[in-house]
Amino acid sequence: MFNAEKPAPDELPTSAQLIRSTIISLVAAVAILFTIVLPAEYGIDPTRIGSVLGLTEMGQLKQDLADEAEQDHHSQVQRQRPSVLAVLTGALIGSAKAQEVWRDEISFTLTPGEGTEWKLVMAEGGTAHYAWEAEGGRVNYDLHGHAGGQRVDYEKGRGKAEGTGSFTAPFAGDHGWFWRNRDRQDITVHLKIRGDYDALKRTQ
């Protein structure tokens, strides 16, 4: 066995050198955190360097995908646990549907990943009633209206198979739905509408 030679005192780093090295390491770590890690992982870019390097967009995309996955999971859990109130409400809605006279009834098919938009041309104060169901899977939807720089959001949903309700237009313009198929098979959406509107049109 050989004993390692003990370094001479003048070869050892001084306290000042150790402190300086520690500070440099901390500064480098903080710089990497703010310029690379936060933009790339969370879409947070306080220095704006992440935007220049294209990291912020990647981080924001990661967060959007994570949020969408969480919302889809939450929707699935809610569907698996129907409440007594939901059962009773469904029965009442089903009874009401049988008595409704619809002005327009349409059906359209969405392939996996495909989206489409149907809008009602409405005057200010007009009210529309609707009922829709997705046959063959689940869809994400966004019920909104827009015209001349104005926009109103009525309702959004993820992983839904049906929807019923009504809305009143706060301004004249196009008001309706954007649907997207998030399943792995074709889905046919059946939509029924009645109320105060001039026309029903497919805009996308």
Side-chain angles (χ1 to χ4, degrees):
M1 179 182 294
F2 297 94
N3 294 325
E5 293 184 2
K6 183 178 181 179
D10 57 354
E11 296 178 349
L12 296 174
T14 64
S15 296
Q17 291 174 326
L18 290 175
I19 293 174
R20 184 169 60 253
S21 298
T22 301
I23 293 175
I24 292 173
S25 298
L26 288 174
V27 171
V30 171
I32 292 173
L33 173 66
F34 280 91
T35 60
I36 297 178
V37 177
L38 289 179
E41 295 297 326
Y42 304 101
I44 300 173
D45 188 15
T47 66
R48 305 299 180 187
I49 294 177
S51 298
V52 176
L53 299 177
L55 300 175
T56 305
E57 183 178 356
M58 179 175 65
Q60 291 172 343
L61 178 60
K62 288 182 180 180
Q63 291 302 302
D64 289 343
L65 292 175
D67 291 343
E68 184 171 334
E70 181 178 354
Q71 293 178 13
D72 286 344
H73 175 70
H74 179 72
S75 298
Q76 183 177 4
V77 170
Q78 292 300 319
R79 288 195 307 275
Q80 293 173 350
R81 298 179 181 177
S83 65
V84 175
L85 178 60
V87 174
L88 293 176
T89 301
L92 292 174
I93 291 175
S95 176
K97 283 182 178 179
Q99 302 176 10
E100 291 173 336
V101 177
W102 300 104
R103 174 177 167 182
D104 286 295
E105 298 185 29
I106 61 171
S107 298
F108 53 92
T109 300
L110 300 175
T111 59
E114 183 182 4
T116 190
E117 190 169 57
W118 284 84
K119 290 295 180 62
L120 302 175
V121 180
M122 303 179 67
E124 180 179 351
T127 299
H129 302 266
Y130 63 88
W132 63 268
E133 60 180 0
E135 178 184 350
R138 303 168 300 146
V139 294
N140 294 354
Y141 71 93
D142 182 351
L143 175 56
H144 62 277
H146 56 80
Q150 300 182 87
R151 179 182 174 90
V152 57
D153 292 311
Y154 298 110
E155 186 179 57
K156 293 182 180 181
R158 293 180 179 275
K160 300 295 184 179
E162 62 180 5
T164 58
S166 64
F167 61 89
T168 300
F171 52 82
D174 294 340
H175 302 261
W177 300 261
F178 175 80
W179 281 281
R180 186 177 296 280
N181 179 357
R182 287 301 188 185
D183 269 348
R184 298 180 178 179
Q185 63 277 342
D186 290 355
I187 295 175
T188 299
V189 178
H190 306 284
L191 173 64
K192 301 177 182 180
I193 314 170
R194 61 184 174 85
D196 307 318
Y197 60 92
D198 297 327
L200 170 64
K201 61 182 181 179
R202 189 171 189 168
T203 60
Q204 181 176 329

